[in-house]
Amino acid sequence: MRDIVASIRDRVKQLVPTQVTTRVRESLVDYGVRTSDRRPLPDFLIIGTKRGGTTSLWNYLIQHPLVPRLFPAWNTKSAHYFEEHWGRGEAWYRSHFPTERQREALAKRHGGPVRVGEAAPLYMFHPLAAQRVAGLIPTVKLIVLLRDPVERAYSHWKERRTHGIEPLDFAAALAAEPERTAGERERLIAEPEAFSEAYDWYTYRARGRYLEHLEPWLERFDSEQILFLPSEDLYRDSRATYQRTLDFLGLPPYDLPNFKVYNDRRSAPLEPAVRAELTDYYRPYNDALRERLGLDLDWADRAA
C-alpha cells in the first residue's frame, strides 16, 4: 500500500509543474490577445526561402538591441499566421508582437528606431500569403533569401530525413513529389483556412522555381520594399550581409561577436547524376529569375 501511495505522489509531483506551465502559457497567450490593440503589426518579414538561411539571419537580427523577440518568448521566429493560422484572426497575430509602450521604451533605452518582424519561409511559397500580407500590412519590408535551388532541394530533403518524416532516398523523393503534392496547392486556395503538411514537407523541386512564387509578391509590393539576398553571400560573408540587412531596415550598425550557422546539416555530397538532372531542370527558371530581378545569381561561382 505504501508503495502505491508513494508511486501516486511521485506522479502528482511530475504532473503539477506541467499543469502550472500549461496555465502560464495559456495566460500569456490570452494576455497577448487581450492587449492586441496595443501591439503594432510587424515592420518586416523574412519570407523565404526554406533552407536558405532564414533561421540564421533571424537569430542575427534579434541580437540587435532594437529588434525584439516575439511574444511570448517560446515563439522562436514566426507566428505562421499567413499560411497555417490564418483562421485565428488579426488579434491573435498581433498578440505575438511587442506593445507600443515596449517599443517606445526600447527606442528610448537604445536611442534608435525599433524594428519588429518574423521569419517564415513558407510565406513565399504559399499561394495566398502575398495577398494576405498586402491586405494587412502593405508597407511592410520583405527579406528574401535565395539559395542555389539544387542545394536547397537537397538540404530540404535532409531536414525531412533527419526529422524521421522522409522514408525515401533523395532521388525517389523527387520522383514521388508530383503524386505526394497533387492538388494541394489548389486545395489551399479553395479552402483558405486549410494547411497542408505535404505542401510544406515534400515540395523539394517545386520550391526552387523561385520566380513562380515571387511573382505575387512582386505584383503587390514596390521594389524598394524587398531585399533579395543570395544565401551564399550570407554563408560566405555573414557580417556584410547582416549589415546590409540592417541598412535596409533602417537600423543603426551593430556588430556581433560571431555568426553561428543555425540548422546546418552536414552529409555526404549529392550524387552527381541527381545534381546534373536538377541543374538542367532549374537552368531556365534561374535564367528567368536573373532577368526579372536584375540580380547576379550565378550560384555555382558563389558556392565555389
Side-chain angles (χ1 to χ4, degrees):
M1 185 65 178
R2 289 180 179 176
D3 291 340
I4 295 174
V5 171
S7 176
I8 293 174
R9 187 187 301 118
D10 290 341
R11 292 184 63 185
V12 168
K13 287 180 179 179
Q14 293 172 359
L15 287 173
V16 168
T18 302
Q19 292 170 345
V20 171
T21 301
T22 300
R23 291 195 192 98
V24 169
R25 289 170 70 97
E26 291 173 350
S27 297
L28 286 171
V29 170
D30 180 63
Y31 171 75
V33 173
R34 285 188 289 105
T35 57
S36 62
D37 60 334
R38 291 170 251 163
R39 298 176 182 273
L41 290 164
D43 306 294
F44 72 91
L45 303 175
I46 304 176
I47 63 171
T49 182
K50 184 177 182 64
R51 305 303 304 159
T54 57
T55 300
S56 291
L57 183 58
W58 171 255
N59 278 281
Y60 303 156
L61 286 173
I62 60 174
Q63 292 180 64
H64 193 291
L66 291 165
V67 182
R69 296 172 179 267
L70 298 184
F71 176 86
W74 62 76
N75 289 296
T76 53
K77 65 177 182 177
S78 177
H80 298 287
Y81 177 59
F82 296 104
E83 20 89 331
E84 185 174 357
H85 299 300
W86 180 248
R88 292 178 180 266
E90 182 182 337
W92 179 87
Y93 182 52
R94 284 178 177 270
S95 74
H96 291 78
F97 305 109
T99 63
E100 189 69 62
R101 179 179 293 181
Q102 290 168 330
R103 281 178 173 244
E104 291 171 357
L106 205 58
K108 184 177 180 180
R109 186 182 312 134
H110 297 287
V114 172
R115 296 291 184 261
V116 175
E118 61 164 336
L122 186 54
Y123 284 175
M124 187 177 88
F125 188 56
H126 193 281
L128 300 179
Q131 69 185 59
R132 290 171 173 174
V133 172
L136 185 62
I137 37 178
T139 60
V140 74
K141 290 197 171 186
L142 306 170
I143 300 170
V144 183
L145 288 152
L146 297 173
R147 184 180 183 181
D148 177 348
V150 176
E151 296 296 338
R152 194 224 67 81
Y154 188 39
S155 182
H156 187 171
W157 171 82
K158 287 188 288 184
E159 179 192 61
R160 298 296 86 197
R161 190 81 161 181
T162 301
H163 291 171
I165 293 169
E166 179 54 84
L168 303 178
D169 65 37
F170 187 43
L174 289 171
E177 181 175 332
E179 181 179 356
R180 283 171 154 181
T181 62
E184 290 302 289
R185 186 175 181 85
E186 293 74 15
R187 183 171 72 86
L188 291 174
I189 296 172
E191 304 172 21
E193 294 187 12
F195 178 75
S196 170
E197 289 181 338
Y199 188 74
D200 185 16
W201 290 353
Y202 301 127
T203 43
Y204 307 117
R205 188 187 297 267
R207 286 206 191 200
R209 300 193 298 263
Y210 295 134
L211 185 56
E212 174 184 322
H213 313 302
L214 282 171
E215 283 292 3
W217 299 89
L218 296 172
E219 291 168 2
R220 291 171 171 84
F221 295 91
D222 292 338
S223 59
E224 293 78 12
Q225 290 177 254
I226 310 177
L227 175 65
F228 294 101
L229 298 172
S231 299
E232 288 72 19
D233 284 359
L234 179 65
Y235 303 143
R236 182 187 61 190
D237 192 345
S238 301
R239 180 168 276 101
T241 304
Y242 169 68
Q243 292 297 340
R244 184 181 172 194
T245 306
L246 297 184
D247 290 342
F248 173 70
L249 295 176
L251 287 164
Y254 185 79
D255 199 19
L256 302 181
N258 63 74
F259 289 88
K260 170 187 173 182
V261 176
Y262 291 78
N263 290 347
D264 188 24
R265 298 185 188 279
R266 305 286 179 175
S267 69
L270 178 56
E271 294 179 12
V274 179
R275 178 181 295 280
E277 188 275 324
L278 282 175
T279 299
D280 289 342
Y281 174 81
Y282 284 124
R283 186 169 290 111
Y285 297 104
N286 293 344
D287 290 343
L289 179 69
R290 292 188 191 97
E291 183 175 355
R292 178 74 166 88
L293 300 183
L295 294 177
D296 174 18
L297 293 172
D298 193 341
W299 279 296
D301 288 348
R302 287 179 181 276

